[in-house]
């Protein structure tokens, strides 16, 4: 397990960019933690760091469920906030996404934890108060 503490949203974006250099598709990145903990902010850094979008093009897919970026690698950014826990995610038509040679970021990934069998990162975001966030990375 690796642990980071950031002091601002810019530092969390920078962490995403730094970790992007370690990403090899296929990879599922589960983003875990409460509302406002920094999952979308981190995604801006990771996705822009992969070179498939500019930071300001990355927005929360809360209402659309899935945003797709790039071709090499193909990147999917998913937000399961509005999905009920335990609901069968197959009904959402996401199953094709999981099978591609892609990088898949999943906000509220705890709702889909049983779904992935390949290489996986789990990133736990925790609000330490003010602008401080603790981010723990586990690689599976
Ligand atoms: P989530 O996707 O987990 O709900 P967001 O990334 O959308 O969270 O929101 C995080 C909020 O917290 C933003 O308003 C951001 O500006 C603020 N913030 C303050 N400090 C940090 C930090 N260190 N890292 C990430 N976001 C931070
Ligand atoms: Mg979010």
């Amino acid at each position: 397990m690796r642990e980071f503490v950031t002091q601002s949203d810019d530092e969390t974006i920078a962490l995403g960019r730094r970790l992007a250099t370690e990403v090899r598709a296929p990879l599922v990145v589960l983003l875990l933690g409460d509302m406002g903990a920094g999952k979308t902010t981190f995604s801006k850094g990771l996705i822009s760091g992969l070179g498939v979008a500019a930071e300001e093009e990355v927005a929360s897919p809360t209402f659309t469920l899935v945003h797709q970026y790039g071709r090499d690698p193909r990147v999917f950014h998913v937000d399961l906030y509005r999905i009920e826990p335990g609901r069968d995610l197959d009904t959402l038509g996401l199953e094709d996404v999981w099978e591609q040679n892609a990088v898949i970021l999943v906000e509220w990934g705890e709702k889909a934890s049983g779904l992935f069998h390949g290489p996986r990162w789990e990133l736990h975001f925790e609000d330490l108060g003010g602008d401080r966030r603790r981010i723990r990375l586990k690689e599976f």
Side-chain angles (χ1 to χ4, degrees):
M1 207 227 353
R2 289 150 77 190
E3 182 175 315
F4 311 90
V5 174
T6 65
Q7 312 276 359
S8 67
D9 45 6
D10 280 348
E11 279 188 30
T12 296
I13 290 172
L15 176 64
R17 287 180 169 273
R18 180 145 59 92
L19 292 177
T21 66
E22 300 179 26
V23 167
R24 300 290 174 270
L27 180 68
V28 170
V29 180
L30 298 180
L31 304 169
L32 316 168
D34 292 339
M35 177 90 71
K39 302 180 293 296
T40 299
T41 303
F42 177 87
S43 300
K44 287 176 187 283
L46 192 84
I47 293 169
S48 63
L50 291 171
V52 295
E55 194 181 296
E56 56 276 11
E57 290 173 322
V58 177
S60 175
T62 304
F63 296 99
T64 45
L65 279 179
V66 186
H67 289 164
Q68 185 180 336
Y69 303 93
R71 292 187 162 276
D72 186 23
R74 196 171 289 269
V75 178
F76 296 96
H77 185 194
V78 182
D79 189 331
L80 299 179
Y81 178 65
R82 297 167 68 84
I83 302 303
E84 289 168 38
R87 177 172 162 185
D88 187 0
L89 295 173
D90 289 355
T91 61
L92 298 175
L94 293 174
E95 64 271 25
D96 294 341
V97 167
W98 310 140
E99 288 161 14
Q100 298 191 48
N101 189 46
V103 178
I104 304 167
L105 287 81
V106 188
E107 297 197 31
W108 300 95
E110 45 274 84
K111 294 184 178 183
S113 54
L115 221 70
F116 307 109
H117 309 289
R120 178 174 100 246
W121 288 2
E122 284 184 11
L123 281 148
H124 296 254
F125 292 78
E126 199 182 336
D127 188 337
L128 297 180
D131 289 345
R132 299 179 75 230
R133 302 290 187 275
R134 176 157 54 214
I135 301 160
R136 292 192 172 101
L137 168 61
K138 292 185 199 163
E139 300 178 46
F140 298 91

